[in-house]
Amino acid sequence: MYSSSWQQRVSRFFIIPQRVILAIMGFLAIMNAYTMRISLSIAITEMVNKSHGATEEDGGVCPIDESANPDDFTGGEFDWDEELQGIILSSFYWGYVITHIPGGMLAEKFGGKWTLSLGILSTAFFTLITPWAVELGGSTALIVIRVMMGLGEGTTFPALSALMATWIPAKERSKLGSLVFGGGQVGTILGNLLSGVLLHNIEGWSSVFYFFGGLGVLWFVIFTLLCYSDPESHPFISEKEKAYLKQELGTLERDRTLPPTPWRYILTSVPMMALVCAQIGHDWGFFIMVTDLPKYMSDVLRFSIKDNGLYSSLPYLVMWIVSLSTGVLSDWLITSGRMTITFGRKLFTTIASIGPACFIVGASYAGCEKAVVVMLFTFAMGLMGTFYPGMKVNPLDLSPNYAGTLMAITNGIGAITGIIAPYVVGVMTPNHTLEEWRIVFWISFAIFNVTNLAYIIWASGEVQPWNTPHLMNKSVEAGESIDVPANAKKSVQSLEAIKQ
């Protein structure tokens, strides 16, 4: 036990509860992960020679503003075509999908602290050495570096899900979950905005990678000092918070006696497959916007590098605000009995699918009306923020014990779209014209709606029987009820508390 008097005296210095500190550091983890991930999307517009492709005379791209600096539209020294750029931008996800499931299993077995922190640290290291690698090996070295970054960052979401399942009560799950996952939007905002500022004010593109890689190292140091894998192992948690978490979660420790991951039940679970479908829809639309929106702003709308960073970040600012506000709204609707967990997850996921699908297609028909295009993209990404109190926290509903593995499966499969989407965009937009991009957005429209339909039909917000495989008997395998031993009533009661 960690209840010595000096540790309790130290706990008085923490005004904010430790579970909230964990959520804040989780938010900063995802924020750092996204800044390192997407900084290349802005930087590549200054790395690549832009002398090829459509011209204003063709009517395929928008005219350059008279007040703009012509040098902003010449690009850099690398002669990489659109297909190669698509491969470079997608290469991060080649590594990213590989470490999701191992990351989830490691977090459940050994705790999420080191699984998360070491993954972010490795991503920061490879971000820092990116300029050096490109100088030595060109596009091939950049692809290798991006794959290595993806390997490190692949543990982020599974490890955070395991930490949240251990620390965050069900009644605070939408609110704090939206805070944590909102780090993706803030990271995208800062990644785009600050990259534009750095590239505008500092000659060359290397500063982007040095800046964001350094922030990742700083986060690692602070996180390892403040955060722990579960409440019982935390030396500075107050007795009051421990009592509250004990009451809400039923335990202060990870269950180290859990059987191996029940893969057969998970992979044949209908609600789980519905969740995977929703994740594919979310990730396709999100990765199209995160990875390729800066290119659209630069190549088609012809924004300057500084304006590109600003306008590419604006949609994610609105998305972040929406995700936080609807997270609070979702928790209130559920805890007040106005909405079931299942209905809430489906409602917010549907808003996050249909809204963006319509607005991004509308943006493709707005032509060169730059203010209208930015407004429509902003509406699209803003509504996508309701994914977070929707399907993003759904793994914690289905299985608190295996939340890390569930997040690994859904995020890992969804991340495959990160491999496919940038490459498809590169192949379909060789001349980066409005007409070529319109087809890309119509494909996104279809994927959003088809995957959402599957989620509406089959999703669930209830704890699944395979969350406690050691309590399942053969009748459960046949689809019947759980036979609960008398000595397991306490565990089942804690599960019922989570379901409430």
Side-chain angles (χ1 to χ4, degrees):
M1 297 293 290
Y2 289 92
S3 57
S4 64
S5 58
W6 73 269
Q7 290 165 334
Q8 284 305 304
R9 285 198 295 272
V10 171
S11 72
R12 297 192 187 101
F13 289 97
F14 291 93
I15 301 173
I16 302 174
Q18 293 298 333
R19 66 188 183 280
V20 178
I21 291 176
L22 177 80
I24 293 171
M25 293 305 298
F27 160 83
L28 293 174
I30 296 181
M31 185 195 78
N32 276 285
Y34 269 76
T35 58
M36 293 185 286
R37 179 192 306 189
I38 64 96
S39 56
L40 180 64
S41 298
I42 290 282
I44 200 169
T45 66
E46 295 301 295
M47 297 167 69
V48 176
N49 190 304
K50 299 179 184 179
S51 61
H52 311 295
T55 64
E56 295 173 35
E57 289 73 19
D58 300 332
V61 299
C62 300
I64 299 173
D65 291 339
E66 294 181 1
S67 59
N69 182 357
D71 293 339
D72 284 344
F73 303 93
T74 58
E77 68 269 31
F78 299 106
D79 192 20
W80 300 335
D81 62 25
E82 291 296 319
E83 184 174 350
L84 178 56
Q85 291 180 56
I87 293 172
I88 291 170
L89 291 171
S90 70
S91 58
F92 171 91
Y93 298 97
W94 304 352
Y96 188 64
V97 300
I98 293 173
T99 50
H100 265 70
I101 290 178
M105 296 173 68
L106 287 170
E108 287 164 359
K109 187 171 182 63
F110 301 107
K113 175 178 179 174
W114 293 108
T115 310
L116 172 64
S117 60
L118 292 176
I120 296 290
L121 180 64
S122 67
T123 305
F125 169 74
F126 289 112
T127 301
L128 285 168
I129 67 171
T130 295
W132 169 78
V134 175
E135 183 179 344
L136 289 180
S139 61
T140 301
L142 180 55
I143 289 170
V144 172
I145 284 290
R146 296 291 290 181
V147 172
M148 298 305 293
M149 288 175 63
L151 288 171
E153 201 170 306
T155 64
T156 302
F157 281 96
L160 274 171
S161 289
L163 284 168
M164 290 166 62
T166 308
W167 275 94
I168 299 178
K171 65 175 64 174
E172 300 176 5
R173 192 166 293 159
S174 295
K175 177 175 58 182
L176 293 182
S178 293
L179 169 63
V180 172
F181 295 129
Q185 290 91 65
V186 176
T188 305
I189 294 165
L190 294 178
N192 284 315
L193 186 61
L194 296 181
S195 292
V197 172
L198 289 169
L199 291 168
H200 178 75
N201 291 289
I202 300 176
E203 185 176 353
W205 46 266
S206 301
S207 59
V208 169
F209 302 99
Y210 296 140
F211 180 77
F212 291 121
L215 286 181
V217 174
L218 177 63
W219 172 89
F220 169 81
V221 174
I222 298 172
F223 177 82
T224 54
L225 292 174
L226 291 182
C227 296
Y228 292 79
S229 292
D230 53 64
E232 187 61 40
S233 65
H234 200 299
F236 309 130
I237 188 172
S238 68
E239 292 297 330
K240 180 181 178 181
E241 186 175 9
K242 287 178 70 172
Y244 170 74
L245 293 176
K246 178 76 172 178
Q247 175 186 342
E248 294 295 325
L249 296 173
T251 180
L252 296 178
E253 294 183 283
R254 292 177 293 108
D255 188 350
R256 292 173 172 83
T257 65
L258 277 177
T261 304
W263 290 106
R264 180 160 65 92
Y265 296 117
I266 292 174
L267 297 178
T268 56
S269 168
V270 173
M272 180 62 187
M273 293 304 101
L275 177 59
V276 169
C277 285
Q279 184 75 46
I280 290 172
H282 167 271
D283 282 0
W284 180 275
F286 190 74
F287 291 144
I288 285 285
M289 299 296 283
V290 166
T291 307
D292 292 299
L293 182 58
K295 284 175 60 61
Y296 185 82
M297 296 282 196
S298 174
D299 296 343
V300 178
L301 298 180
R302 310 294 289 277
F303 281 120
S304 68
I305 185 60
K306 186 177 180 180
D307 289 342
N308 190 354
L310 173 62
Y311 293 125
S312 293
S313 65
L314 183 60
Y316 303 98
L317 174 61
V318 177
M319 186 180 181
W320 178 51
I321 295 170
V322 170
S323 67
L324 289 179
S325 57
T326 54
V328 174
L329 175 62
S330 174
D331 277 341
W332 176 74
L333 290 171
I334 291 170
T335 56
S336 65
R338 290 172 171 81
M339 181 184 292
T340 65
I341 293 176
T342 299
F343 183 80
R345 302 299 184 236
K346 291 181 178 181
L347 172 65
F348 287 110
T349 300
T350 299
I351 295 171
S353 299
I354 295 177
C358 295
F359 282 116
I360 62 174
V361 168
S364 72
Y365 286 94
C368 293
E369 296 293 333
K370 297 182 180 181
V372 176
V373 173
V374 171
M375 180 183 68
L376 291 172
F377 278 137
T378 301
F379 285 155
M381 296 307 295
L383 290 175
M384 203 181 289
T386 63
F387 265 123
Y388 293 85
M391 51 75 58
K392 271 293 186 180
V393 295
N394 201 197
L396 281 74
D397 301 321
L398 299 180
S399 178
N401 286 331
Y402 298 100
T405 296
L406 264 60
M407 180 62 82
I409 294 170
T410 56
N411 230 48
I413 294 175
I416 295 173
T417 65
I419 299 174
I420 299 172
Y423 180 74
V424 168
V425 171
V427 170
M428 294 185 68
T429 60
N431 301 306
H432 38 77
T433 65
L434 283 165
E435 290 75 14
E436 291 170 345
W437 275 93
R438 188 172 295 145
I439 298 172
V440 170
F441 292 142
W442 270 113
I443 292 172
S444 300
F445 178 93
I447 292 173
F448 265 129
N449 284 285
V450 171
T451 55
N452 181 64
L453 181 61
Y455 192 76
I456 290 174
I457 296 172
W458 291 299
S460 173
E462 301 298 316
V463 175
Q464 300 300 295
W466 39 264
N467 179 62
T468 50
H470 50 309
L471 301 181
M472 297 175 65
N473 61 16
K474 293 183 179 180
S475 66
V476 174
E477 294 184 46
E480 299 170 8
S481 60
I482 297 178
D483 179 23
V484 183
N487 61 2
K489 287 183 178 179
K490 184 175 180 181
S491 297
V492 174
Q493 288 168 354
S494 67
L495 287 177
E496 289 301 318
I498 292 173
K499 290 171 69 176
Q500 297 300 320

